[in-house]
């Protein structure tokens, strides 16, 4: 009798924890990409279901920022919860997105990092495991994050639907290198 009660409690806890995955949640993830540990947060809205495809929005932090600050600063989770889309908050190496042709003022900036590949792998992951809709992929970011959105619009043009950069300038050298 005691064993049955313990089993019932364990099964109840497993059911409840399994249920919470389909409700609103922030999932902290780490992937090894190009030999580096890369981090990102996935925000799933309360309407999330593994049976329905959801639009995807990447929120890129500015230079010197990080993915957790982006959540607080952008307030995209409330919009995602209300409108039913997945938000991805990636973390750059040394707090700066690598954009060939764009200088960076961030300390520890590493020009050998392939952040476009990082975003492409995250996108593949979201589409495969979280029912992200590959037809509706959007990016936004402020400052360096906005510049990175411009870069991705060119570099991943077949995968990015639209961008909404904020306070992000585009140098003439970039326009020459990445003409649209």
């Amino acid at each position: 009798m005691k064993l049955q009660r313990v089993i019932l409690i364990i099964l109840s806890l497993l059911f409840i924890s399994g249920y919470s995955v389909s409700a609103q949640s922030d999932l902290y993830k780490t992937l090894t990409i190009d030999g580096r540990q890369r981090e990102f947060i996935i925000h799933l809205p309360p309407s999330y279901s593994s049976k329905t495809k959801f639009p995807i929005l990447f929120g890129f932090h500015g230079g010197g920022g990080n993915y957790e600050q982006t959540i607080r600063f952008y307030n995209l989770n409330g919009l995602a919860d209300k409108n039913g889309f997945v938000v991805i908050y990636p973390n750059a190496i040394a707090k700066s997105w690598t954009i060939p042709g764009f200088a960076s003022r961030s300390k520890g900036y590493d020009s050998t990092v392939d952040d476009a590949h990082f975003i492409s792998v995250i996108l593949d992951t979201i589409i495969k495991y979280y029912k992200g809709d590959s037809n509706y992929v959007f990016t936004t970011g402020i400052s360096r994050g906005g510049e990175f959105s411009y870069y991705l619009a060119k570099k991943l043009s077949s995968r990015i639907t639209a961008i909404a950069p904020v306070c992000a300038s585009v140098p003439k050298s970039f326009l020459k290198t990445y003409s649209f």
Side-chain angles (χ1 to χ4, degrees), residues 19 29 51 54 64 88 109 122 125 131 142-143 163 170:
Y19 177 75
K29 297 292 183 178
K51 296 176 183 173
F54 284 79
I88 310 302
Y109 175 74
I122 292 175
T125 301
K131 297 297 282 187
I142 192 165
S143 190
I163 64 171
V170 179

Side-chain angles (χ1 to χ4, degrees), residues 65-130:
N66 67 50
Y67 63 165
E68 289 180 322
Q69 292 169 334
T70 307
I71 292 172
R72 293 188 304 271
F73 187 68
Y74 291 11
N75 197 25
L76 296 171
N77 291 0
L79 288 171
D81 293 349
K82 183 178 178 181
N83 297 293
F85 58 89
V86 174
V87 185
I88 310 302
Y89 301 99
N91 213 19
I93 300 282
K95 299 185 176 189
S96 184
W97 300 106
T98 301
I99 309 167
F102 274 60
S104 176
R105 291 175 276 160
S106 297
K107 292 180 180 179
Y109 175 74
D110 184 346
S111 64
T112 66
V113 175
D114 187 349
D115 281 324
H117 183 231
F118 171 45
I119 299 308
S120 188
V121 170
I122 292 175
L123 187 52
D124 292 340
T125 301
I126 299 306
I127 291 166
K128 183 174 181 178
Y129 297 107
Y130 296 95

Side-chain angles (χ1 to χ4, degrees), residues 10 12-13 17 24 49-50 71 81 93 97 109 113 125 128 131 139 146 150-151 156 159 161 176 180:
I10 291 171
S12 297
L13 290 172
S17 67
Q24 171 191 350
S49 164
S50 61
I71 292 172
D81 293 349
I93 300 282
W97 300 106
Y109 175 74
V113 175
T125 301
K128 183 174 181 178
K131 297 297 282 187
T139 72
Y150 282 121
Y151 175 65
L156 302 179
R159 304 193 77 188
T161 306
K176 289 177 185 175
F180 288 90

Side-chain angles (χ1 to χ4, degrees), residues 16-82:
I16 291 168
S17 67
Y19 177 75
S20 68
V21 170
S22 65
Q24 171 191 350
S25 59
D26 289 338
L27 308 171
Y28 286 71
K29 297 292 183 178
T30 302
L31 293 173
T32 301
I33 300 171
D34 300 328
R36 302 171 200 255
Q37 293 290 305
R38 302 302 305 264
E39 302 170 315
F40 60 101
I41 300 169
I42 304 169
H43 175 78
L44 301 174
S47 61
Y48 176 78
S49 164
S50 61
K51 296 176 183 173
T52 305
K53 288 185 177 184
F54 284 79
I56 303 164
L57 174 64
F58 284 89
F60 300 117
H61 61 76
N66 67 50
Y67 63 165
E68 289 180 322
Q69 292 169 334
T70 307
I71 292 172
R72 293 188 304 271
F73 187 68
Y74 291 11
N75 197 25
L76 296 171
N77 291 0
L79 288 171
D81 293 349
K82 183 178 178 181

Side-chain angles (χ1 to χ4, degrees), residues 157-178:
S157 61
S158 65
R159 304 193 77 188
I160 304 294
T161 306
I163 64 171
V166 179
C167 298
S169 60
V170 179
K172 287 182 181 179
S173 63
F174 179 83
L175 291 174
K176 289 177 185 175
T177 306
Y178 301 101

